[in-house]
Amino acid sequence: MTATRERPTAPAPVQPRLGAVGTLRFAWRQLTSMRTALFLLLLLAVAAVPGSVLPQRGVNAGQVTTYLQQHPTSGPWVDRLGGFDVYSSVWFSAIYLLLFVSLVGCVLPRCRQHWGALRARPPRAPARLDRLPAHVAAEVDGDPERTLAAAQAALRRRGFRVDVRDGSISAERGQLRESGNLLFHLSLVVLLVAVAAGHLLGWRGDVIVPVGSSFSNAVPSYDSLDAGPWVDSERLPPFSLDVDSMTVRFEEQQTGSQLGAPREFRARVTSRDGPEAAPRTTSVSVNHPLELDGAKVFLLGNGYAPVITVRDGTGRVVYSQATPFVPQDGSYTSLGAVKAPGAEPEQLGLVGWFLPTAVIDDKGPHSVFPDLKNPALTLTAFAGDLNLSSSAAQSVFTLDTSKMRQLRTSNGDLVRLLIAPGETKELPDGKGSVTFERVERFAGLSIRHDPARGWALGAAVAAMLGLALSLFVPRRRVFVRVRAVQPRAAGDGPRTLVEVGGLSRGEDAGLEDEVARVLAAAGGPTAGRTSEERG
Amino acid sequence: MSVDETLAGYANLLLYGAMAAYTAAFLAFVLDLAGGTARAERQRTLAERRAVPVGAAAVPPGSGAAGDVSPGDVRSGDGTPPPRERRQAAAIGVSLTVLALLLHLAAVAARGWSVHRPPWGNMYEFATAGAAVVTLVFLAALRWRDLRYLGTFVVGPVLLTLGLAVVVLYTRASQLVPSLKSVWLAIHVSVAFVSSALFTLAFSVTVLYLVQARRERRRALGEPVRPAFTDALPAARELDRASYQLHAVAFPLWTFTLVAGAIWAENAWGRYWGWDPKEVWTFVIWVVYAGYLHARATRGWQGRKAAGLALVGYGCVLFNFLVVNIFFVGMHSYAGVG
Ligand code: HEM
């Protein structure tokens, strides 16, 4: 325990040539030094920054695509350097892995040392107590043994481990400080492992479910599913759920940026843990996920699913369902598509906007409020081959029009259908008709499974506990030495010179008081008086 | 539940009142500092007259205090300050700060009442409530130590923050977007407040430490040092210790902020960590301050270099609040500015 709180390290070997083992050992010692730890920590902070400036695939893949389009020359380079996947890039991983290797290499030997120190006797009192950072002395009444015993009792009461040797006391407290520090660092390792395990063993999927529809937990049901490498995605837990209704509320009072801000989203759902299990009715809302068989169901998005019916030229219904349109702005101007592969004589496709509060002006059709004040669909129509047989995956929200032709009215204008709920519009050339039956809402659900979540939480809590101990438990050593002195006058009782010295690890404002208290207990002036005398 | 517009109006009036009181307090603290230079001069002569008998007997050997006492630091070896000199301007400053804080807290409470929720749902509310916590922590710290010399450096920034909040960030009272309705939000944000407030105090002390350390170095080299307000401040060693202690309290609170935020994110979005820009910066701040604590225990990094890291950390705190909230889109974007 020195004033600089450097971990005691063995003196560096002074050798002209190190050899292979020596070089390794030297490298290891460098890696596990405080200086390297500090360097890696700062490097980690710097390395984390680009990920907040550049768009990240894991957060928003769409923005990455836009960025690449806007920066055709620099974009691919940024990509090659891992700029869009900073937190899984080689260099970021290298930094934190080195940091954690350093951490383990630093902490394990400290654990061993600490384990020894916990059971060792406190060290002997140094020869000169007045060299210690805190030191007080006084002559008191009483003989040395009694004085020493009083000091010893006081130290015990204060939670010190006390050892008496050759007329002096060595006392030590606050081993918990080091224990806490080790707990903190080890918990960080556990936390890292838990995060990694979550990635390997967890899965997360997103799906849009219109009100009145149901979802069962299997790969084909998902719009997107991201499963860890160790997950058997054929064997996801077989739960299912129906979305019965949605409650959505938006700010109507305000003007300015808060108008139309979301105020409440809630979905009522009926869920089953398996095909045979009994149904349960509950609700899911933002911040209140639903727990199903080890997975959690979150309500992350919502929007509108107009119920659209398409008849082909023969008058047959070839499409009729709630069709989710994805919101593109805060007023829920939403984009979507209808694909009717069964239409005769040609396949039909519709693409366009759903507007909950429609306004059509020189900006084109758009919505001015997210709630259903004046709902309308504006669609363009295509006929031909929807290209669904090709192997490339298609988004359900757009059409692949490469083999289609856009429909025109008899005078050659492109067809643009503007349909209100309940209305039906005819397609030109007797191609059929489109009916906008009504509007349902949809729930954007995100379903997640992370088996290591509990471990991560436990490790975080342990780390906080360790940190608190490490920063707030004072670690002190106190030494007491006594010596008989001449009574002031013949006939007086015996007199003793008591010397108390203390030192602590780190900043410790309470050390002076501790030392003064021990002196007071040994018969010296009380704490208050000492500080006055000293001041 | 709708917004109570009258109450929201009172909240604004109360806030203006608080700003007026803060301004007066600020002036009082500046006067105190200005007087401090003269006071230091007086104490220096006083100390020179007393130094020999008192100092010799009392300074515990090895405490190192004898070597680096500045004229402003007439204290005995154990760090006890001299009896508090009556500093009228400072006393007035503290009283005015208390008054300002009461008005300020009333404003925050009225704002919360008017919208039926904790008043920190957008940046305007965040800044006003945060500034109240800074003042509160400062006044509480006064009970622990005589930090009145910090008054200017606390009340000044508070006033600046409020000005910024009223002029740039103002958002009318309204309710919250659903993801912000959570107990964990309340916990996460209130702890973030307290720890940011402590980081702010720690930052002020660190700056003063650097200034003082520089003056002491120059004085030790025998270079001329002009009298300045820092003469009224404690010695560099003392400031360094105070700065460490403030950081040592702020850091675990920031750690808690991080963990509570992760729990909230897990509840709201189904993942406890997603590298959202706001999360990135909370993490960066945490790592930089962890670096600061490490640096204090690393040979060759103690003192000025470690203090430099603390300043970098605070720079990140400010950046996180001002730049990330407004310019970086992420799931946390709820600034309400626009
Ligand atoms: C993930 C990386 C790390 C983080 C976030 C971290 C964080 C911290 C924090 C916040 C403290 C302050 C607690 C206190 O002062 O008691 C601390 C102390 C300490 N750390 Fe780390 N640390 C990390 C890695 C390491 C490594 C690699 C080493 C070894 C080279 C190390 C050795 C120490 C030591 C010896 C202390 C005690 C300093 C003292 O006595 O005050 N840490 N660490």
Side-chain angles (χ1 to χ4, degrees):
Chain A
M1 283 213 277
T2 48
T4 65
R5 289 169 294 145
E6 183 78 344
R7 182 171 56 102
T9 46
V14 198
Q15 287 175 348
R17 281 189 305 125
L18 291 169
V21 179
T23 312
L24 274 179
R25 189 174 291 158
F26 176 75
W28 179 248
R29 195 168 291 135
Q30 287 302 309
L31 181 62
T32 57
S33 75
M34 276 301 266
R35 200 181 285 266
T36 309
L38 177 58
F39 174 71
L40 288 172
L41 265 176
L42 297 180
L43 202 59
L44 184 68
V46 173
V49 171
S52 73
V53 183
L54 294 167
Q56 296 296 298
R57 285 215 174 81
V59 179
N60 191 336
Q63 279 178 357
V64 176
T65 314
T66 319
Y67 187 95
L68 281 170
Q69 280 160 3
Q70 286 170 353
H71 303 81
T73 41
S74 64
W77 278 103
V78 174
D79 200 9
R80 236 160 278 161
L81 294 173
F84 302 123
D85 302 282
V86 166
Y87 306 105
S88 50
S89 68
V90 179
W91 43 275
F92 191 79
S93 313
I95 295 172
Y96 72 75
L97 288 177
L98 269 180
L99 180 59
F100 274 85
V101 170
S102 165
L103 194 155
V104 170
C106 156
V107 166
L108 287 185
R110 276 173 64 203
C111 284
R112 192 156 11 90
Q113 261 175 22
H114 184 55
W115 179 247
L118 279 179
R119 289 170 312 158
R121 298 168 77 182
R124 268 169 199 286
R128 294 195 48 188
L129 296 186
D130 59 5
R131 290 259 173 83
L132 296 176
H135 172 254
V136 284
E139 274 186 38
V140 302
D141 292 327
D143 60 44
E145 287 74 38
R146 294 260 295 281
T147 310
L148 204 60
Q152 189 181 353
L155 283 165
R156 282 243 157 79
R157 269 199 306 281
R158 298 272 306 152
F160 278 82
R161 292 195 309 149
V162 183
D163 191 44
V164 186
R165 266 179 282 194
D166 336 324
S168 66
I169 294 178
S170 305
E172 186 171 43
R173 64 161 286 175
Q175 300 277 17
L176 263 182
R177 185 184 182 93
E178 182 73 359
S179 313
N181 190 284
L182 295 172
L183 175 65
F184 168 73
H185 285 90
L186 288 175
S187 302
L188 292 184
V189 179
V190 176
L191 182 63
L192 184 74
V193 172
V195 171
H199 277 288
L200 293 172
L201 297 167
W203 47 267
R204 47 219 147 253
D206 296 319
V207 59
I208 281 180
V209 187
V211 171
S213 304
S214 57
F215 161 82
S216 59
N217 190 34
V219 177
S221 312
Y222 282 100
D223 297 334
S224 72
L225 180 69
D226 173 15
W230 294 0
V231 176
D232 179 358
S233 49
E234 296 310 311
R235 303 181 55 187
L236 300 180
F239 57 78
S240 65
L241 57 83
D242 308 332
V243 176
D244 303 326
S245 67
M246 287 272 295
T247 314
V248 176
R249 227 163 38 73
F250 298 97
E251 177 70 60
E252 306 212 1
Q253 280 195 346
Q254 292 289 318
T255 52
S257 69
Q258 298 273 313
L259 177 73
R263 293 295 174 234
E264 187 186 357
F265 301 141
R266 177 181 304 278
R268 288 205 72 73
V269 298
T270 306
S271 63
R272 282 180 202 78
D273 278 347
E276 272 91 55
R280 271 189 304 150
T281 304
T282 42
S283 75
V284 190
S285 59
V286 182
N287 285 329
H288 296 280
L290 170 66
E291 197 115 15
L292 279 179
D293 202 3
K296 277 182 159 186
V297 181
F298 297 86
L299 177 65
L300 288 196
N302 68 92
Y304 296 100
V307 181
I308 299 172
T309 300
V310 180
R311 289 181 173 79
D312 66 6
T314 66
R316 209 160 42 90
V317 173
V318 290
Y319 181 96
S320 182
Q321 67 186 61
T323 312
F325 277 55
V326 260
Q328 306 290 315
D329 62 21
S331 299
Y332 284 56
T333 302
S334 311
L335 182 65
V338 169
K339 297 174 191 183
E344 298 286 347
E346 282 179 297
Q347 297 186 330
L348 286 176
L350 304 167
V351 65
W353 301 97
F354 171 75
L355 313 168
T357 302
V359 168
I360 297 178
D361 55 19
D362 45 351
K363 278 198 284 179
H366 63 278
S367 174
V368 294
F369 191 74
D371 219 340
L372 295 170
K373 303 263 176 189
N374 176 29
L377 272 171
T378 76
L379 298 172
T380 51
F382 293 82
D385 180 357
L386 285 165
N387 212 11
L388 292 177
S389 49
S390 90
S391 55
Q394 266 196 30
S395 159
V396 292
F397 302 111
T398 54
L399 286 184
D400 175 356
T401 57
S402 58
K403 297 184 186 165
M404 304 191 87
R405 124 189 133 263
Q406 192 164 1
L407 298 184
R408 293 173 185 273
T409 58
S410 48
N411 54 17
D413 293 341
L414 292 175
V415 170
R416 179 173 286 281
L417 307 172
L418 178 65
I419 325 178
E423 284 183 346
T424 298
K425 289 278 163 81
E426 295 294 327
L427 293 171
D429 309 335
K431 288 263 184 266
S433 67
V434 181
T435 310
F436 179 4
E437 315 273 356
R438 61 180 190 280
V439 192
E440 293 287 5
R441 291 179 192 271
F442 70 74
L445 300 179
S446 192
I447 303 174
R448 321 248 168 161
H449 171 67
D450 178 354
R453 221 177 47 206
W455 283 92
L457 180 62
V461 171
M464 287 193 294
L465 179 74
L467 185 64
L469 292 175
S470 168
L471 287 169
F472 302 131
V473 171
R475 174 148 185 204
R476 295 176 186 152
R477 284 180 184 164
V478 171
F479 304 99
V480 186
R481 184 165 288 138
V482 290
R483 179 159 53 87
V485 288
Q486 282 296 319
R488 261 182 268 196
D492 274 3
R495 299 271 296 165
T496 302
L497 173 71
V498 193
E499 249 191 304
V500 185
L503 84 168
S504 35
R505 172 155 177 169
E507 303 287 354
D508 182 357
L511 182 64
E512 306 276 344
D513 285 342
E514 186 84 78
V515 169
R517 236 184 331 255
V518 175
L519 185 65
T526 59
R529 268 195 21 240
T530 30
S531 68
E532 238 173 58
E533 279 179 6
R534 286 181 295 137
Chain B
M1 271 189 293
S2 67
V3 174
D4 184 336
E5 298 286 349
T6 335
L7 200 52
Y10 283 133
N12 292 349
L13 285 180
L14 282 166
L15 197 66
Y16 295 142
M19 288 172 73
Y22 277 129
T23 312
F26 179 74
L27 292 176
F29 281 125
V30 169
L31 274 178
D32 173 57
L33 271 192
T37 318
R39 193 162 59 241
E41 204 57 42
R42 261 199 321 280
Q43 288 194 349
R44 194 195 326 245
T45 41
L46 204 73
E48 273 158 10
R49 249 180 277 135
R50 276 194 331 187
V52 180
V54 178
V59 176
S63 77
D68 55 15
V69 197
S70 84
D73 185 53
V74 186
R75 49 194 63 225
S76 53
D78 64 351
T80 8
R84 278 195 193 196
E85 196 178 337
R86 272 181 55 86
R87 285 155 57 183
Q88 209 147 30
I92 293 173
V94 172
S95 313
L96 283 169
T97 310
V98 172
L99 173 70
L101 179 65
L102 291 177
L103 290 168
H104 191 164
L105 288 175
V108 171
R111 174 84 178 195
W113 233 290
S114 76
V115 286
H116 318 283
R117 61 172 169 78
W120 41 72
N122 53 48
M123 274 182 79
Y124 168 73
E125 293 172 3
F126 201 94
T128 21
V133 178
V134 173
T135 317
L136 191 66
V137 169
F138 170 62
L139 288 177
L142 284 183
R143 299 188 62 85
W144 161 69
R145 242 174 216 209
D146 186 6
L147 295 175
R148 285 181 298 176
Y149 61 85
L150 271 184
T152 317
F153 310 99
V154 173
V155 173
V158 163
L159 199 53
L160 212 64
T161 309
L162 291 184
L164 193 74
V166 169
V167 177
V168 185
L169 304 175
Y170 186 72
T171 315
R172 284 185 50 188
S174 66
Q175 292 176 39
L176 281 185
V177 297
S179 69
L180 295 180
K181 287 181 189 161
S182 156
V183 225
W184 282 107
L185 169 75
I187 296 173
H188 167 70
V189 176
S190 16
V191 179
F193 276 156
V194 177
S195 76
S196 311
L198 283 162
F199 279 136
T200 308
L201 291 186
F203 167 77
S204 302
V205 179
T206 308
V207 171
L208 296 181
Y209 158 72
L210 285 172
V211 173
Q212 192 74 307
R214 186 163 160 231
R215 289 171 64 81
E216 284 176 13
R217 233 178 12 263
R218 296 185 52 180
R219 200 174 281 129
L221 290 176
E223 290 174 30
V225 183
R226 268 185 292 132
F229 73 91
T230 46
D231 288 343
L233 302 181
R237 212 176 96 90
E238 189 65 20
L239 289 167
D240 188 39
R241 186 185 293 176
S243 145
Y244 169 73
Q245 282 167 345
L246 288 165
H247 280 114
V249 180
F251 182 76
L253 291 175
W254 191 258
T255 311
F256 184 82
T257 304
L258 197 71
V259 175
I263 295 176
W264 171 37
E266 152 74 27
N267 269 326
W269 302 311
R271 84 290 181 293
Y272 50 82
W273 198 259
W275 297 111
D276 176 88
K278 195 82 195 183
E279 289 170 351
V280 172
W281 279 93
T282 309
F283 173 76
V284 168
I285 292 166
W286 186 78
V287 173
V288 172
Y289 279 114
Y292 162 79
L293 290 177
H294 257 214
R296 292 192 62 104
T298 306
R299 204 172 292 144
W301 273 82
Q302 284 122 341
R304 276 187 299 153
K305 275 198 200 165
L309 277 182
L311 300 193
V312 171
Y314 193 68
C316 294
V317 171
L318 286 184
F319 186 82
N320 183 33
F321 180 65
L322 291 175
V323 183
V324 179
N325 268 355
I326 299 181
F327 296 106
F328 290 24
V329 275
M331 286 180 124
H332 278 81
S333 303
Y334 59 95
V337 180

